[in-house]
Amino acid sequence: DQQVKQNSPSLSVQEGRISILNCDYTNSMFDYFLWYKKYPAEGPTFLISISSIKDKNEDGRFTVFLNKSAKHLSLHIVPSQPGDSAVYFCAAISLLNRDDKIIFGKGTRLHILP
Amino acid sequence: NAGVMQNPRHLVRRRGQEARLRCSPMKGHSHVYWYRQLPEEGLKFMVYLQKENIIDESGMPKERFSAEFPKEGPSILRIQQVVRGDSAAYFCASSPRPQGDTDTQYFGPGTRLTVL
């Protein structure tokens, strides 16, 4: 049972445009959401997070939006740069339950086109 | 401050052999997590350890897999009698406090295990 779903395996975006990566979740106990970026042959690196008490968190070119009623979050990257080409994992955790497991989606591979 | 270190980066084993994967957490981190990534899949939680204690092993297969985090030295993920289905990338992450108190875990570069 996939609790965190990233339905787009890949996405291609022109350099300079906005990249929008989507993520859906099913477990209503999740109260903290994270995005990780992963280059080939490297471990995931933390990008940005959002608590369920917020609906938006912004950090430079990266903004994460959370729609709790729809159980949906998205990562916006603007403007997209060549170095943004990577696999992006959406992840969720239940802090209220003091659960230490991060639940990951399958990832979306982002290609930034020149 | 060195990041999370994992070795070996690549490990090849024949079916039936043992695989030992090592993880040295970031300095000052006493919480270690192991995740497995199968091809075309996301990372899946296996086990969470603190020094000398297994806190949560709910994601670990019941047989052949074990993990430890001794008082001294790295955390070890041990897979006995490996099978082809164990071929995957194994990632270790560490944090200075329990996940509930911090907003991220820091990941190592992973060990890619190939079982022939």
Side-chain angles (χ1 to χ4, degrees):
Chain A
D1 178 33
Q2 195 87 26
Q3 297 187 66
V4 177
K5 299 178 186 177
Q6 293 178 258
N7 291 320
S8 298
S10 67
L11 176 68
S12 295
V13 174
Q14 206 77 36
E15 182 179 354
R17 299 285 184 100
I18 183 171
S19 296
I20 300 177
L21 295 95
N22 293 303
C23 177
D24 298 291
Y25 62 96
T26 57
N27 188 342
S28 57
M29 297 304 295
F30 289 146
D31 52 15
Y32 201 85
F33 303 90
L34 310 97
W35 284 93
Y36 283 84
K37 177 180 179 179
K38 185 181 181 302
Y39 292 119
E42 292 185 16
T45 53
F46 171 74
L47 199 56
I48 193 169
S49 62
I50 188 167
S51 164
S52 61
I53 62 173
K54 294 185 173 182
D55 54 20
K56 177 182 174 181
N57 188 25
E58 190 173 351
D59 183 2
R61 295 187 299 113
F62 303 92
T63 304
V64 56
F65 295 91
L66 175 62
N67 182 335
K68 276 178 58 181
S69 59
K71 293 194 176 68
H72 177 84
L73 63 155
S74 60
L75 174 68
H76 292 213
I77 307 173
V78 54
S80 300
Q81 298 175 354
D84 296 331
S85 293
V87 177
Y88 290 79
F89 290 100
C90 173
I93 194 165
S94 177
L95 292 179
L96 190 63
N97 283 348
R98 301 198 69 80
D99 194 340
D100 300 286
K101 296 187 282 292
I102 296 181
I103 308 298
F104 286 86
K106 291 188 178 185
T108 296
R109 187 177 298 277
L110 177 63
H111 301 271
I112 303 302
L113 306 170
Chain B
N1 187 9
V4 178
M5 316 245 320
Q6 289 188 249
N7 67 82
R9 294 294 309 275
H10 299 274
L11 183 60
V12 179
R13 284 288 177 266
R14 296 193 182 278
R15 280 179 296 170
Q17 290 185 319
E18 179 180 286
R20 278 181 178 244
L21 290 66
R22 285 175 289 278
C23 168
S24 296
M26 286 179 71
K27 189 176 179 181
H29 288 195
S30 58
H31 301 262
V32 165
Y33 311 79
W34 285 93
Y35 294 84
R36 176 166 65 174
Q37 184 183 20
L38 295 169
E40 307 304 322
E41 297 284 328
L43 286 75
K44 291 203 180 337
F45 170 82
M46 298 181 74
V47 61
Y48 162 39
L49 309 103
Q50 293 179 27
K51 284 284 188 183
E52 300 184 277
N53 285 307
I54 295 175
I55 307 302
D56 182 350
E57 56 182 348
S58 58
M60 192 103 97
K62 294 285 185 283
E63 297 177 351
R64 304 188 297 108
F65 285 72
S66 62
E68 62 177 12
F69 189 15
K71 191 176 178 182
E72 301 291 337
S75 175
I76 306 283
L77 179 68
R78 184 180 174 211
I79 311 172
Q80 296 177 289
Q81 297 176 310
V82 296
V83 300
R84 288 236 173 93
D86 297 332
S87 295
Y90 292 82
F91 291 95
C92 165
S94 74
S95 68
R97 293 177 294 279
Q99 180 63 57
D101 296 335
T102 188
D103 64 352
T104 190
Q105 298 169 6
Y106 296 87
F107 282 82
T111 293
R112 185 164 299 278
L113 172 66
T114 302
V115 179
L116 302 177

